[in-house]
Amino acid sequence: MGQGGQPRRAQAYDGELGAAVERAQDGDESAFAVAYRIVQPGLLGYLRGLVGDDAEDVASDAWLEISRDLGRFKGDGAGFRGWTATIARHRALDHLRRQRVRPRASALESDLLELPGPHSTHDQALESLSTERALDLVRGLPRDQAEAVLLRVVVGLDGPAAARVLGKRPGAVRTAAHRGLKRLARQLGAESVTDDAPRTLGESK
């Protein structure tokens, strides 16, 4: 699934990612490159939401730390995405502290415009973000909501994983993501978005 057509949601690549990480831990440099290609787009989108135009530099710092500490990672593909997002967030917050500026949701245009096509109610809700007006609204979300939406949508983490990255309870992250998407949907007047759509965000089995 997800082969040969439009890029699919990040979760579709978790099997391939987990296998690549395992090989990379055994010293396979080409496997590390595969893991990088799978993870980097979402990671960069998340960092753009936090540090704007400095995302590339912060991502480079994060990948240096990821490669250095790769041997200590234990988990599967989804776990690796969460682990890398946590490292990237720490590097972003360090960067922002140095600059003494508050994290902001900015420079999201390309990331949101390149969201995968709808595969479920959740994706249909997110599809409505692909307008200029919606992008302005995303930048105007409170930070907790913007970051929860970024981790769920751009990085593709599930609720518990996003909560671990943010150091919050899953319920708090689920609520923030729900409120952020609901607020966007209400302001957009998106016909395809119902009150039920954002509520599925981050719910675990």
Side-chain angles (χ1 to χ4, degrees), residues 151-170:
L151 283 171
R152 298 287 289 117
V153 178
V154 181
V155 182
L157 300 183
D158 64 17
R164 283 192 296 273
V165 171
L166 296 173
K168 296 182 178 180
R169 296 172 62 86

Side-chain angles (χ1 to χ4, degrees), residues 93-133:
L93 295 180
D94 286 346
H95 176 82
L96 291 166
R97 274 193 289 271
R98 285 195 298 272
Q99 290 197 326
R100 289 194 167 89
V101 295
R102 291 177 59 245
R104 61 200 186 277
S106 62
L108 298 175
E109 288 83 355
S110 61
D111 306 298
L112 290 175
L113 289 170
E114 291 170 7
L115 282 174
H119 305 295
S120 66
T121 308
H122 173 199
D123 289 312
Q124 286 162 10
L126 302 173
E127 189 71 7
S128 67
L129 294 177
S130 299
T131 68
E132 283 301 319
R133 181 171 163 229

